[in-house]
Amino acid sequence: MATFKPKFLKPDTDDAIEDNRTSEQQDSAFVFNANHNLGLIEQRERLPIRKYKDQILYCLENYQVVILVGETGSGKSTQVPQYLYEYGWHTKGFIGITEPRRVSTITLANRVAQERGELVGDTVGYVVRFQERITPETKIKFMTEGILLRELLADPLLTQYGVIIVDEAHERNMLTDMVLGLLKKILRKRSNLKIIISSATIDASFFSEFFSWPGSGEVSVKLSIEGRMHAVTNFYLNEPCADYVKETVETVWKLHQKEPPGDILAFLTGQDEVLEALDLLREYVRSSEVENLKVLPMYGSMSSTDQLAVFFTPPKGVRKVVLATNIAETSITIPGIVYVIDCGFVKVKWYNPRTCSDSLVVVPVSKASAVQRAGRAGRVRPGKVYHLYTKADYDSLVPRQPPEMRRSEMSGAVLQLKALGIGNILRFDFPSPPPAQNLLSALETLFALDGIDEQGNLTKPVGYLLAELPFGAMLSKMLYVSGKMGCSEEIITIIAMLQVQSVFSRPVSAVAQQSGRIAHRNFEVAEGDFITLLNIYTAFVEEGRTKEFCGQYYLIYRNLKRAYELREQLITLASKKYGIPIFSCNGDVKTICKCITAGFFTQVAYLHHSGVYRQISSGTELAIHPESTLYTLPQAQYVVYGELLQTTKLFMNHVTVIQREWLTELAPHYYQQTTVRE
DNA sequence: GCCCCCTTC
């Protein structure tokens, strides 16, 4: 490969595009490509980013941080790594690209390898959990954000890298912000490390301010690249609507009567709303004997088979309508969409440090989200977007939701930072600092788990183990104790099952939902949800890990398969790296429940004489979540819970029945006899 | 009587 030597051009700052349309979302195998008939080289030359190539290289040569603002279809995720390679940046270490999701990581690496006429794993490779395609030849390395954070533990200055591109930084996920905060620290120690932040328009100034500090001179420069999306026309209601589910249904119906062919995507906030709208629309279709409208649901806990339906092109003359949750905003791209309906709301999680619980609340979307949703309409041809709220309401929307870092439980982040030698977490330079209460709550939890001492330093061996193990602190503690209790095989299974997304399928039809519930009863036990998960896993393996088994029992194959892979990985990790002996307790359920208690003893509820559970630490009333095994069983006196979620009530989920004495036996530092209520 | 979406040796 001949090294390309460009003639440098100074960036033309007047070229910046003032447009708040969506950013690039090449994060699915189903990205639409208008030029799919052109040769790959010709396609590359046609991308809007091509004419910025020299400017990008110029900026990287002269600045330590480059903020790259690029719209959808600009080609930045696939082209920039290649430009850097062609100019020879790979001689200074890996060209690393972080992505927020596994699917986009793999898809992008494949695409770039294909453009270069190579197989993935040669010059271009990727690393995500469980899958890596890296060889000694690899120079361009796509990876998930989590992988880079793990690598940091072993190589705190990332000395293997010459350039790191943080893609989709505007999403501001928890891990994105961790990466950004740590990269800023590294930049000050490594003047030869270059960073490219790929972001949406509205956040560019935020990033450039974050990456400049007193005495730094000019570290960052902004470059804006137009995309090649089609125009999108926005419509708003004249009057606010009372019920956006009904309004969605009516809008779809009117649209179908009036508008030329083109598929419809409607955003709702949750599974229940999607199913409600689905019922209503199918009723319209049935009663008016319409045959050219195909209505499909899309949400995260559907089986893969059901999800696949939305990717098929409908027969000629038939219009497809997809009713989706936020999964369609960034995680999947549905082809053929011309019309978008935005209900104007979204479900978000907020951490509440007082009760150590998450609240799941429906709130108005942010402008950024509304724009992102609207952008889903302009991929094929000029599109139309129907916002189910007034223009005045749109104008009053917040620019964006607070980043996840400000709304989340922090113990994992605190452990990671401590392991990197950052002692005073309160003074760490977060892109958006989390509330101090959230940090204090995490410190208290970690202290209770014996992960940090009174000075806030990691303990040995427990604290270092909690920091290094790739899952939550309580699960890690449970694993540590299981080595001593002789039930590590079972505990690792439970951990693996909890790490993956829910294995319970939530089917679309009411009849199937009922059958699913009955099928799941086969695995239920009185001890609670963790043991139930253990049963499901055991049955899955005994039945040969087949899709048929999962179909029969309404379980999600892809998640069980990942649990299996994860378990294999954890067995090796626990025994080889951390010297945790791998033993089975051979069906001794009491030992397993005690071990669970050893990890989750800070999350206990007792049955108050009023017949309602109360949180032992605060007295707050708690309810068992209807999805828990224990929902329909007689109430036990004491339970530990894995999670607490505020929706219509404060619900405990992943509940395990325990005995009171275990608390003082396993956590005497935390429970004196007096604090345990009768 | 019910949970948006991601991710980690």
Side-chain angles (χ1 to χ4, degrees):
Chain A
M1 185 92 205
T3 306
F4 173 78
K5 191 76 182 170
K7 286 184 202 139
F8 285 133
L9 294 173
K10 281 233 169 198
D12 180 2
T13 42
D14 290 333
D15 233 15
I17 305 298
E18 286 301 315
D19 190 329
N20 61 350
R21 281 185 313 193
T22 69
S23 69
E24 183 179 42
Q25 291 299 335
Q26 290 197 330
D27 46 13
S28 132
F30 304 97
V31 174
F32 172 75
N33 179 3
N35 292 323
H36 72 280
N37 288 325
L38 297 176
L40 285 172
I41 293 172
E42 203 173 329
Q43 280 192 44
R44 282 195 66 193
E45 289 300 316
R46 287 191 173 206
L47 285 165
I49 198 167
R50 175 61 185 85
K51 56 179 182 283
Y52 297 88
K53 176 176 179 174
D54 296 345
Q55 294 185 6
I56 292 165
L57 290 168
Y58 173 90
C59 289
L60 203 62
E61 192 93 337
N62 291 283
Y63 300 95
Q64 209 177 356
V65 180
V66 177
I67 318 283
L68 205 55
V69 176
E71 293 179 49
T72 305
S74 66
K76 63 182 157 44
S77 309
T78 53
Q79 301 310 301
V80 176
Q82 295 186 75
Y83 297 164
L84 302 186
Y85 178 78
E86 286 160 12
Y87 188 61
W89 274 103
H90 62 283
T91 57
K92 299 173 197 299
F94 279 125
I95 298 165
I97 306 100
T98 69
E99 293 291 327
R101 285 167 290 280
R102 293 162 51 89
V103 176
S104 52
T105 310
I106 298 168
T107 311
L108 285 168
N110 276 311
R111 172 74 197 182
V112 173
Q114 191 192 9
E115 284 186 6
R116 296 182 45 77
E118 299 175 355
L119 291 172
V120 77
D122 295 343
T123 315
V124 187
Y126 68 82
V127 189
V128 300
R129 192 173 207 181
F130 307 127
Q131 274 184 69
E132 69 169 61
R133 292 282 173 80
I134 293 281
T135 58
E137 308 310 311
T138 303
K139 309 293 182 200
I140 300 174
K141 180 172 162 187
F142 285 88
M143 71 204 112
T144 47
E145 291 161 343
I147 294 284
L148 189 75
L149 284 169
R150 288 285 130 191
E151 288 187 4
L152 265 163
L153 286 177
D155 179 11
L157 289 177
L158 293 173
T159 54
Q160 290 194 59
Y161 293 84
V163 188
I164 292 171
I165 303 171
V166 183
D167 204 9
E168 314 284 12
H170 58 273
E171 285 188 17
R172 302 293 305 280
N173 301 320
M174 187 84 171
L175 297 185
T176 319
D177 276 17
M178 288 287 285
V179 166
L180 293 172
L182 290 163
L183 283 179
K184 180 171 178 181
K185 217 171 147 64
I186 296 169
L187 281 176
R188 305 170 81 149
K189 294 183 183 151
R190 271 194 63 194
S191 58
N192 60 345
L193 180 69
K194 303 282 185 173
I195 307 289
I196 297 176
I197 310 286
S198 152
S199 148
T201 316
I202 57 161
D203 299 300
S205 332
F206 174 84
F207 290 125
S208 62
E209 274 163 39
F210 179 65
F211 281 106
S212 34
W213 51 85
S216 68
E218 222 175 336
V219 291
S220 72
V221 65
K222 276 182 273 183
L223 265 180
S224 295
I225 297 146
E226 76 274 23
R228 48 166 39 170
M229 291 282 293
H230 301 279
V232 166
T233 314
N234 290 281
F235 298 95
Y236 302 88
L237 296 182
N238 290 324
E239 298 290 329
C241 72
D243 181 339
Y244 58 73
V245 178
K246 286 204 179 92
E247 192 71 26
T248 299
V249 170
E250 280 156 26
T251 308
V252 168
W253 195 245
K254 271 185 266 174
L255 220 152
H256 183 55
Q257 320 292 326
K258 281 190 352 211
E259 296 288 337
D263 295 340
I264 305 173
L265 170 63
F267 287 97
L268 293 162
T269 75
Q271 181 198 327
D272 53 340
E273 289 174 5
V274 167
L275 293 179
E276 187 189 339
L278 184 74
D279 273 353
L280 290 170
L281 256 177
R282 284 186 173 166
E283 187 50 41
Y284 272 47
V285 170
R286 206 176 307 123
S287 59
S288 55
E289 295 177 11
V290 161
E291 281 170 0
N292 57 355
L293 193 67
K294 176 89 178 146
V295 193
L296 297 163
M298 181 77 204
Y299 48 84
S301 57
M302 287 192 329
S303 71
S304 311
T305 324
D306 289 345
Q307 285 194 354
L308 267 180
V310 307
F311 295 107
F312 291 118
T313 310
K316 202 163 171 55
V318 175
R319 192 198 299 271
K320 178 169 80 180
V321 181
V322 179
L323 305 167
T325 62
N326 244 14
I327 194 171
E329 199 178 289
T330 53
S331 299
I332 61 150
T333 300
I334 300 163
I337 300 299
V338 177
Y339 307 98
V340 161
I341 300 168
D342 164 27
C343 77
F345 289 88
V346 64
K347 244 177 216 176
V348 289
K349 239 182 192 183
W350 285 87
Y351 179 67
N352 177 353
R354 194 184 63 80
T355 45
C356 298
S357 64
D358 284 315
S359 295
L360 201 55
V361 284
V362 175
V363 298
V365 285
S366 62
K367 279 205 183 78
S369 222
V371 169
Q372 173 73 16
R373 289 176 176 186
R376 296 311 213 177
R379 302 183 80 90
V380 185
R381 54 184 165 88
K384 291 185 178 175
V385 181
Y386 299 83
H387 302 275
L388 303 184
Y389 42 94
T390 64
K391 180 65 168 62
D393 285 339
Y394 174 81
D395 292 332
S396 65
L397 294 176
V398 295
R400 53 173 312 122
Q401 291 302 337
E404 211 178 17
M405 182 69 82
R406 302 195 58 133
R407 311 183 265 116
S408 301
E409 201 279 329
M410 291 294 295
S411 62
V414 168
L415 281 169
Q416 172 106 33
L417 294 173
K418 296 249 177 221
L420 289 168
I422 295 154
N424 192 345
I425 305 292
L426 289 159
R427 293 189 54 188
F428 180 70
D429 196 356
F430 291 100
S432 297
Q437 279 305 319
N438 294 13
L439 286 172
L440 293 176
S441 158
L443 290 169
E444 278 173 24
T445 302
L446 293 174
F447 180 71
L449 292 174
D450 190 30
I452 56 173
D453 59 24
E454 278 98 340
Q455 283 74 46
N457 299 317
L458 288 182
T459 55
K460 278 182 186 163
V462 176
Y464 282 89
L465 192 70
L466 301 194
E468 285 206 28
L469 288 171
F471 33 77
M474 291 177 194
L475 295 176
S476 304
K477 182 66 187 283
M478 193 168 87
L479 174 56
Y480 172 74
V481 175
S482 76
K484 303 187 184 306
M485 288 191 173
C487 56
S488 49
E489 280 208 26
E490 287 81 0
I491 291 295
I492 288 174
T493 302
I494 293 169
I495 291 174
M497 290 289 277
L498 290 168
Q499 284 305 106
V500 300
Q501 288 176 301
S502 175
V503 297
F504 297 107
S505 174
R506 296 184 207 180
V508 175
S509 82
V511 177
Q513 280 173 35
Q514 188 57 28
S515 316
R517 187 79 205 177
I518 292 165
H520 294 160
R521 258 179 220 149
N522 285 294
F523 309 104
E524 289 180 355
V525 284
E527 286 85 359
D529 300 301
F530 280 13
I531 307 295
T532 299
L533 288 174
L534 179 61
N535 281 344
I536 291 171
Y537 181 86
T538 310
F540 174 64
V541 173
E542 278 173 4
E543 297 295 320
R545 309 200 308 268
T546 61
K547 283 184 181 162
E548 289 68 31
F549 169 79
C550 293
Q552 190 185 346
Y553 289 100
Y554 291 86
L555 301 169
I556 300 177
Y557 175 74
R558 65 171 186 273
N559 293 342
L560 269 162
K561 182 167 160 280
R562 274 190 72 181
Y564 178 80
E565 294 167 348
L566 182 56
R567 185 176 185 280
E568 297 292 294
Q569 185 193 44
L570 290 181
I571 293 275
T572 317
L573 185 71
S575 61
K576 299 250 168 69
K577 192 161 178 194
Y578 300 107
I580 295 169
I582 306 299
F583 284 120
S584 167
C585 61
N586 300 315
D588 176 4
V589 184
K590 185 179 164 191
T591 299
I592 303 172
C593 290
K594 281 181 86 165
C595 191
I596 293 166
T597 310
F600 286 86
F601 62 83
T602 58
Q603 303 188 342
V604 178
Y606 68 96
L607 190 60
H608 191 252
H609 55 71
S610 62
V612 180
Y613 280 105
R614 289 194 174 185
Q615 194 172 39
I616 208 165
S617 53
S618 71
T620 311
E621 284 194 1
L622 307 177
I624 291 186
H625 193 280
E627 218 159 66
S628 168
T629 306
L630 296 183
Y631 183 74
T632 47
L633 296 179
Q635 292 171 305
Q637 279 301 311
Y638 284 85
V639 293
V640 290
Y641 52 85
E643 59 180 41
L644 207 51
L645 191 69
Q646 172 88 46
T647 52
T648 51
K649 281 183 185 172
L650 194 47
F651 286 114
M652 299 181 272
N653 205 349
H654 293 152
V655 188
T656 301
V657 175
I658 64 158
Q659 289 170 25
R660 196 191 80 167
E661 311 81 72
W662 296 351
L663 295 172
T664 41
E665 178 190 334
L666 294 162
H669 61 295
Y670 196 76
Y671 288 101
Q672 286 85 46
Q673 205 57 43
T674 51
T675 63
V676 176
R677 323 271 172 110
E678 288 303 329

